[in-house]
Amino acid sequence: MNNIVSMAWVKEHMGEPNVVIADCRFVLGKPDAGREAYEASHIPGAVYLDLEKDLSAPVDEHGGRHPLPDIFDLTVALSLAGIGNETKVVAYDDQGGAMASRLWWLLKYLGHEHVYVMDQGFAAWTSAGHPVTDEIAEPTPVKFLAIVEHTMLVEMDQVQELLGREGVTLIDSRETPRYRGEVEPIDRVAGHIPGAINRFWKDGLTVTGSWKVADEQAERFADLDKNRELIVYCGSGVTATPNVIALQEAGFTNVKLYAGSWSDWISYSENPVATGDEENA
């Protein structure tokens, strides 16, 4: 199995004792909307994991708008959701896979292998006539042991050191106008990290909202050298994670996430800011 599974696969395997379906719907600026949507209707048996309460730490001076959660707190949340080390986890959302990909990345970061994102999302699930319920799942807690994969992550000071270095490519996953610094609707400074190239994360989806297949993902990154170290970021470390998946699907193996991303970078006044386009590295 690759990182993306079909709705048909989810329908076939939901309810199996070793499969946990995780509803990750979340609306920026409306922190209760995702849980309310889950409580109204979700895939039968699905548990809810909240982007800001479960999959992020509280916002601080540094770390960005969605800091990585404390590892102990996250393992507790996963355990209470019925997720153990051998559990197959399928995450879904209604945001093009961005929130589900955050859970995918976190589980991979904690050494968990069997995690996938459901293609298309909940709206497509309901449109296809697949079953839904408002019954809240009550999973049996299990033990989750984290084996942290530190090489998947880079911190701000590492990005500073790598700026302009041969063999490293920074990939900004935000929309092009934000990358260029033409607009900035969320963060207090516009622009991008100097040297970064732009690959908008939603370009990994088809016009119908499905994930592009591996060959199509490879076309998006055809100008990049697979021998280079790739560091992916976005505004707060969430929408970069679909690009991490896309790069893996395209055959890239040396891919890391700058989890704090742009919102962390600009929290340090000494960090340089670039605008406009960059030549591909």
Side-chain angles (χ1 to χ4, degrees):
M1 294 172 65
N2 59 15
N3 299 304
I4 310 300
V5 295
S6 67
M7 292 187 292
W9 190 96
V10 176
K11 185 179 180 183
E12 180 181 351
H13 295 279
M14 68 181 189
E16 293 182 1
N18 199 39
V19 174
V20 169
I21 301 170
D23 186 317
C24 299
R25 284 176 287 173
F26 188 88
V27 181
L28 292 175
K30 298 179 180 178
D32 297 324
R35 174 168 287 280
E36 289 168 358
Y38 165 79
E39 291 174 351
S41 180
H42 53 265
I43 295 175
V47 297
Y48 183 73
L49 290 171
D50 187 286
L51 172 66
E52 293 187 346
K53 294 176 182 175
D54 300 312
L55 308 183
S56 304
V59 175
D60 206 340
E61 180 183 1
H62 301 299
R65 286 182 281 106
H66 292 109
L68 289 186
D70 175 81
I71 289 173
F72 176 78
D73 292 343
L74 179 57
T75 56
V76 169
L78 296 171
S79 298
L80 292 175
I83 297 173
N85 290 78
E86 299 304 317
T87 308
K88 288 183 179 177
V89 182
V90 180
Y92 72 87
D93 59 36
D94 245 352
Q95 286 78 32
M99 312 304 169
S101 296
R102 169 76 163 206
L103 176 59
W104 173 93
W105 189 91
L106 286 169
L107 280 166
K108 291 285 188 180
Y109 179 60
L110 297 186
H112 190 83
E113 288 300 316
H114 314 293
V115 56
Y116 313 95
V117 173
M118 186 181 81
D119 197 18
Q120 295 184 282
F122 186 69
W125 174 273
T126 55
S127 295
H130 296 321
V132 297
T133 184
D134 62 359
E135 184 177 343
I136 305 302
E138 296 182 2
T140 301
V142 295
K143 186 175 182 179
F144 184 94
L145 177 65
I147 306 170
V148 180
E149 302 285 347
H150 294 287
T151 58
M152 290 177 56
L153 179 69
V154 295
E155 304 286 357
M156 189 281 299
D157 56 348
Q158 295 171 281
V159 177
Q160 278 183 329
E161 292 172 10
L162 292 170
L163 286 185
R165 184 174 296 184
E166 279 294 315
V168 179
T169 298
L170 274 169
I171 299 176
D172 187 312
S173 305
R174 298 171 299 163
E175 290 181 85
T176 299
R178 288 184 69 195
Y179 161 79
R180 290 175 177 157
E182 297 166 355
V183 298
E184 184 44 68
I186 303 174
D187 294 308
R188 60 180 179 80
V189 177
H192 60 264
I193 299 174
I197 63 171
N198 185 217
R199 293 291 187 278
F200 183 35
W201 71 273
K202 279 194 175 178
D203 290 341
L205 305 175
T206 68
V207 292
T208 60
S210 293
W211 285 72
K212 291 180 178 177
V213 298
D215 287 349
E216 293 171 317
Q217 300 289 12
E219 287 178 18
R220 296 176 58 212
F221 306 109
D223 56 329
L224 301 184
D225 185 343
K226 289 186 177 178
N227 294 317
R228 294 175 74 94
E229 179 180 347
L230 304 181
I231 298 173
V232 188
Y233 75 94
C234 58
S236 69
V238 176
T239 59
T241 55
N243 262 348
V244 174
I245 292 179
L247 283 158
Q248 284 199 9
E249 297 282 301
F252 291 83
T253 56
N254 193 1
V255 182
K256 300 178 180 180
L257 176 70
Y258 172 24
S261 287
W262 180 246
S263 52
D264 176 55
W265 183 258
I266 60 173
S267 71
Y268 298 87
S269 59
E270 71 273 17
N271 280 344
V273 169
T275 56
D277 287 316
E278 301 263 4
E279 292 295 320
N280 283 0

